[in-house]
Amino acid sequence: MRLIFLGPPGAGKGTQAQILQRRFGAKQVSTGDILRDNRSRGTELGKLAESYMNSGALVPDEVIIKMIEAELDTLPDGFIMDGFPRTVAQAEAFDCLLESKDLTLDAVVLFEADRATLIARLTGRWTNPRNGRPYNAATNPPRVPGIDDEDGGPLVQRDDDKLETVTKRLDVYERQTSPLVEYYRHSGKLVQVDALAPVDDVTKEIVAKIGAPVEQNAAG
Ligand code: AP5
């Protein structure tokens, strides 16, 4: 299965990609997670990306496209692109990449939510940095604040989830990423889901609209 999850920050793309990657036998590819991992390891890519990420701006297209090109060769069982593409230039480059490898997309899932909900979700988000498991102080709190329910380790908040940066990220989405809705509508691959629904209901709607294959044993 080859999917793109498209939608504004906080719409639940990462949450659903985590849940569905096993079911679709495809790997979640979060460009944000790859960049954050590089930043924490202090790589050249991480250093380059840091100031863009901290300010809520997008990392330059050519950097992201190179990153995805390298990633694509490691995904024989398919992918769920979470946070990529984010500009028309990235989408066009991705189309070329897929074509050069004789691969086609199955669907692009558009997560729809209003701005007030997105702000509340992002400013309340907590994540397990060891495996990406998401929590939310308002809608899905851990049993003990700041501690993962399952592995007992600390949860973290992202630097770019401060209100000021969240507002900027939402503006950047409207300006630079939302044109992709029309781009993918033209391809006939776009399906829309109500991202305001509870997590389980969003999962069900995606599965119903994509047509889930038999569950596979693909590792995380
Ligand atoms: P990235 O890490 O991709 O962040 P994002 O797109 O802003 O998306 P988020 O991870 O914030 O939101 P999400 O939709 O995954 O929501 P989540 O499931 O976590 O990018 C970060 C930065 O990296 C960018 O700003 C940019 O600088 C750079 N970057 C990354 N990719 C790039 C690219 N392609 N090009 C250029 N730059 C790039 O959920 C959010 C919260 O809501 C959680 O607390 C969750 O528990 C809760 N929640 C989820 N679903 C529900 C629900 N149904 N009901 C109630 N609560 C819910």
Side-chain angles (χ1 to χ4, degrees):
M1 194 64 118
R2 296 184 203 94
L3 301 173
I4 290 174
F5 281 3
L6 175 65
K13 306 178 299 293
T15 299
Q16 296 298 330
Q18 280 255 323
I19 294 170
L20 288 169
Q21 57 179 346
R22 184 173 296 272
R23 175 138 193 186
F24 289 139
K27 189 179 164 210
Q28 173 191 18
V29 179
S30 160
T31 40
D33 285 349
I34 297 171
L35 292 169
R36 278 184 289 278
D37 175 58
N38 275 275
R39 194 176 54 182
S40 67
R41 289 187 290 114
T43 67
E44 284 308 309
L45 170 61
K47 285 180 201 154
L48 189 154
E50 184 157 23
S51 61
Y52 295 100
M53 296 177 79
N54 287 346
S55 71
L58 295 184
V59 174
D61 287 336
E62 57 276 16
V63 175
I64 298 288
I65 291 162
K66 226 184 263 172
M67 209 170 89
I68 287 292
E69 194 169 1
E71 199 66 24
L72 205 54
D73 289 328
T74 70
L75 305 168
D77 298 322
F79 53 75
I80 301 174
M81 289 293 162
D82 163 13
F84 173 87
R86 250 166 148 113
T87 62
V88 171
Q90 289 181 20
E92 287 171 349
F94 194 43
D95 280 350
C96 291
L97 258 178
L98 291 175
E99 200 179 325
S100 72
K101 294 178 191 299
D102 261 340
L103 299 173
T104 50
L105 280 176
D106 292 298
V108 178
V109 180
L110 173 62
F111 289 66
E112 294 189 301
D114 65 89
R115 192 173 172 103
T117 303
L118 297 170
I119 290 174
R121 282 188 187 173
L122 290 172
T123 52
R125 170 166 59 184
W126 288 82
T127 310
N128 179 331
R130 296 164 296 287
N131 58 20
R133 187 179 302 120
Y135 291 87
N136 191 277
T139 57
N140 174 32
R143 283 195 292 273
V144 179
I147 301 293
D148 186 83
D149 288 349
E150 291 182 28
D151 71 15
L155 301 174
V156 295
Q157 279 192 299
R158 271 170 47 175
D159 292 340
D160 61 351
D161 279 347
K162 291 188 220 91
L163 180 59
E164 193 188 319
T165 320
V166 163
T167 306
K168 169 92 186 283
R169 285 162 60 205
L170 290 169
D171 292 344
V172 166
Y173 175 82
E174 281 309 319
R175 210 170 46 246
Q176 293 183 261
T177 308
S178 67
L180 290 182
V181 175
E182 283 315 307
Y183 182 93
Y184 285 117
R185 208 188 296 283
H186 281 130
S187 74
K189 300 260 164 86
L190 194 78
V191 300
Q192 294 173 227
V193 296
D194 174 14
L196 295 176
V199 171
D200 289 352
D201 292 350
V202 178
T203 307
K204 283 186 198 136
E205 190 178 359
I206 296 172
V207 169
K209 290 193 166 159
I210 299 299
V214 176
E215 193 156 339
Q216 302 190 13
N217 292 324

